[in-house]
Amino acid sequence: MRVLLAGATGLVGAQVLRQLLGDPRCTGVVAPTRRPLALGDMALPAGRLRNPVQDFAALPMDADWWQVDAAICALGSTMKQAGSREAFRQIDQGYPLAIAKAVQRNGCTVFALNSAMGARVDSRVFYNRVKGELERDLRALDFASLTLVRPGLIGGERSERRTGEHLASVVLGALAPVLPRAWRINPATHIASALVGAVLAPQPGVHVVGSAQLA
């Protein structure tokens, strides 16, 4: 499987990239990013990674690197990072949908999305509503295999500190033994494994992976 990964610089995306490159079922990864990937100590198999540096607002729809077998989208922002509702919707719904359409036009039949717990088109929470609308739009594309991974609070070390998320992780970590699995911290490595497994061993139809399965 040749896989396109969107969001490789994020907490979950970086783990997805590491797992894809270490899995013999994956013959190559295309990882478009806004800035060149900093791979650090990651051992890079020769010819396995292509890293087009792109502005996601002006993606080249005629590029040959859209020709993949499967795609994973781990793009995501926060309202604070995006700066406005419009910008957040563009990053968390507009870009992922454009990527899904581009790979599908080039023959891709397998897609996996890192969504969010509570994603619903009728949610009163704007964040969850946008995630739900994206899931709805992806379902309408009718991929042969579509997996929607819905984590709760994501565990792991981010490059930027999110104070509220950090405090929540401390509280949930302390309460983990008594919390239902659906409310426990979801490690980024677990989320990445669900996404990678979904595209390297795809199953027909639409599949939802909830936070309890990621704890």
Side-chain angles (χ1 to χ4, degrees), residues 12-84:
V12 172
Q15 293 297 329
V16 171
L17 179 62
R18 186 177 293 273
Q19 291 185 25
L20 285 174
L21 292 174
D23 195 309
R25 295 173 295 175
C26 178
T27 58
V29 179
V30 179
T33 56
R34 291 178 301 163
R35 58 185 185 276
L37 284 170
L39 299 175
D41 61 353
M42 188 185 301
L44 186 61
R48 290 279 302 282
L49 175 64
R50 187 170 178 181
N51 178 214
V53 177
Q54 299 290 337
D55 179 355
F56 280 79
L59 289 167
M61 293 305 172
D62 59 346
D64 63 348
W65 43 261
W66 293 115
Q67 298 172 19
V68 293
D69 303 298
I72 295 174
C73 183
L75 282 175
S77 184
T78 64
M79 286 294 296
K80 181 178 180 180
Q81 288 175 323
S84 69

Side-chain angles (χ1 to χ4, degrees), residues 72 85 96 159 166 175 177 180 187 191 193:
I72 295 174
R85 286 193 168 198
S159 57
H166 173 70
L175 295 176
I191 301 166
S193 294

Side-chain angles (χ1 to χ4, degrees), residues 39-147:
L39 299 175
D41 61 353
M42 188 185 301
L44 186 61
R48 290 279 302 282
L49 175 64
R50 187 170 178 181
N51 178 214
V53 177
Q54 299 290 337
D55 179 355
F56 280 79
L59 289 167
M61 293 305 172
D62 59 346
D64 63 348
W65 43 261
W66 293 115
Q67 298 172 19
V68 293
D69 303 298
I72 295 174
C73 183
L75 282 175
S77 184
T78 64
M79 286 294 296
K80 181 178 180 180
Q81 288 175 323
S84 69
R85 286 193 168 198
E86 293 75 15
F88 176 82
R89 184 182 290 279
Q90 180 69 359
I91 296 168
D92 280 59
Q93 183 181 13
Y95 294 163
L97 186 58
I99 289 165
K101 290 179 176 179
V103 294
Q104 189 179 59
R105 280 196 300 268
N106 284 273
C108 175
T109 61
V110 179
F111 197 91
L113 171 72
N114 186 36
S115 185
M117 183 174 69
R120 288 175 50 187
V121 294
D122 60 350
S123 176
R124 294 186 178 182
V125 179
F126 179 73
Y127 178 91
N128 290 340
R129 188 164 69 249
V130 170
K131 296 293 188 181
E133 290 171 354
L134 173 58
E135 288 190 5
R136 174 203 61 197
D137 295 343
L138 291 175
R139 286 174 184 264
L141 294 180
D142 200 26
F143 281 97
S145 177
L146 172 64
T147 300

